[in-house]
Amino acid sequence: MMTKEAFQIILAGSLVAIPCGLLGCFLILRKMAMVGDAISHAVLPGIVIAFLLSGNRDSLTMLLGAGLIGIFTTFLIEFFHRMGKLQTDAAIGVTFTWLFAIGVILIDQFADQVDLDQDCVLYGEIAYVSLEQWTTSDGTMMGPRTLYVAGTVLLLVIVFILMGYKELVVTTFDPVYASAIGISTALWHYLLMAAVSVTTVASFESVGAILVVALFIAPPATAYLLTENLKHMMVLTVVIGVLVSLTGYYLAVLLDGAIAGAMATMAGVFFLIVFLFVGVRKKRKVQKTLLTAPEVIPKHD
Amino acid sequence: MIEHVENPILEIHDLTVSYDRKPVLWDIDLTLPEGKLIGIVGPNGAGKSTLIKAIMNLIPSNSGYVKLFDEHLEKVRNRISYVPQKESVDWDFPASSLDVVLMGRYGQLGLLKKPRKADKEVAMDCLRKVGMDAFAKRQISQLSGGQQQRVFLARALAQQADLYFMDEPFAGVDAATEKTIIDLLRSMSQQGKTVIVVHHDLQSVTRYFDWVLLLNLRLIASGPVESTFTQELLQETYGGKLTLLSEVSNLMRKEGFPHRELRKGKSS
């Protein structure tokens, strides 16, 4: 039987994995997986500064601070890429390591003032989900606070994707055409990045700033191998996210190790299994269609 | 040799575009008539794609203005459609042919609205026009290059626009697709639509188009094919590319332009 504590941890893991995976679908289709990585690291100084200013963890300030830093990161990457003619991956590498390092120094410097420590920020503390309860002003215990934060973000992400589905799809598939029919690619790019930033903040307490990227990329990448339909891909991502949380918890129990690490490991294991059984086959099929296609060399102007 | 028209569907005045401070289009000044099938012709790197991107405001221009239907682009955007180069997107994207064609409806739908049954019917109808209705549910990654090009064309049709810009719709397609596309473009033109096509197969220009633009960084000529697609003007457009030119002049000497299919048939 699952204990109440185990259930809460698995639920917290799922509540984090689902929004990460849903946004991750768009990240990998935009070939921006590494931008997700960059943002998940770069929001660290935003988290710390918001923490210093507001003094608590569940405030809106923190989500706002991180959201702004996330957009700032995206902007910096674009800026270095466009103005400096730097390759995108180099621009990403320079930007996020630098911001992440500032975050690490800030935590170090203000360790006595803020209730944040490096281990928690880097590796998460999902094991303590049930310890920190949300208590209302009249003293009623409402249950683990993390569940509320993650649940709210999940809801926001679902609303965002439902409302902007067709814009997200068209700006991802064919940004030039999207602009031609009057849909702003820049606006949707920054909205998506803001959503990624906010989700990262809600997730970092559970799985940590480093491992959260595993939840952004691995479940959608696995789902991508399994289907050629975007809606199915998103549903599969959700299923895989929950499975990662569930199996990750029991792997951690089995090994008596860190839960976040076990979840990221399971995300990798699922990907590997699917890749071995499906990925290779899919690749063969693609090669076959290429061979039977009538035309050979596309002409460029 | 730039022929101007009354009541143009497209008017460009003094347009200059540059990449990285290097001009790629110089001082373009033209007017185009309504309801014609118009080809943009010129050597590689002449700025053909750049010209239609600048018209659609997809890249910034340094000077000049563009008027469509005698209006600014923003006011008439839903009367204009654009077909990008097929290679500009990732065809491994998880979507079906119908999904892609439905994108043609997005501009009219506006924010927060989902495509309805009527939009799906329009999309299916457009797939039928390009002979792809049997492939509506097929994943785009499993289509051949010619079929992908037809899907792109169907998406543009789904916009139900009056003016179409197409960037190399004949590039890398099979003969059957080329015929389907040109038949479709002709019937669109007969219905009064204006179609502007970036093209670089000189042999088919006179067969395909009513009006032609000759472009090489600057506009060399613009006018009806019969009076504009001449050896002197082509020489001016293609400059020193002599081998190509002699090929063209040989073709010009003969009456009309032979079908490639016919030629192939003779040699085999």
Side-chain angles (χ1 to χ4, degrees), chain B residues 174-225:
Chain B
D174 50 288
T177 300
E178 179 147 355
K179 187 170 184 315
T180 312
I181 295 177
I182 192 65
D183 288 348
L184 181 72
L185 300 191
R186 286 210 181 103
S187 78
M188 286 162 72
S189 153
Q190 273 156 19
Q191 288 159 30
K193 315 264 186 193
T194 311
V195 185
I196 301 174
V197 178
V198 171
H199 193 64
H200 71 222
D201 177 24
L202 291 176
Q203 299 185 31
S204 51
V205 170
T206 46
R207 273 188 292 127
Y208 287 181
F209 302 110
D210 310 320
W211 190 281
V212 69
L213 303 185
L214 297 177
L215 190 73
N216 191 352
L217 302 185
R218 58 192 188 84
L219 187 66
I220 312 289
S222 164
V225 175

Side-chain angles (χ1 to χ4, degrees), chain A residues 31 166 174 177 180 228 295 298, chain B residues 90 110 139 142 155 159 172:
Chain A
K31 302 179 176 50
K166 69 180 194 301
D174 193 347
Y177 180 73
E228 288 178 317
E295 68 292 304
Chain B
D90 175 11
Q139 297 306 311
Q142 292 169 22
R155 178 177 70 176
Q159 281 182 254

Side-chain angles (χ1 to χ4, degrees), chain B residues 198-266:
Chain B
V198 171
H199 193 64
H200 71 222
D201 177 24
L202 291 176
Q203 299 185 31
S204 51
V205 170
T206 46
R207 273 188 292 127
Y208 287 181
F209 302 110
D210 310 320
W211 190 281
V212 69
L213 303 185
L214 297 177
L215 190 73
N216 191 352
L217 302 185
R218 58 192 188 84
L219 187 66
I220 312 289
S222 164
V225 175
E226 311 81 60
S227 60
T228 311
F229 200 67
T230 63
Q231 197 180 343
E232 300 89 279
L233 286 170
L234 279 169
Q235 185 138 17
E236 206 183 328
T237 312
Y238 282 82
K241 295 186 178 168
L242 288 171
T243 45
L244 185 66
L245 269 178
S246 56
E247 207 184 306
V248 171
S249 59
N250 281 338
L251 283 165
M252 298 287 296
R253 220 169 290 145
K254 296 175 191 166
E255 228 177 353
F257 287 77
H259 268 270
R260 276 181 301 169
E261 284 81 0
L262 276 179
R263 247 186 352 165
K264 246 185 229 163
K266 263 181 208 162

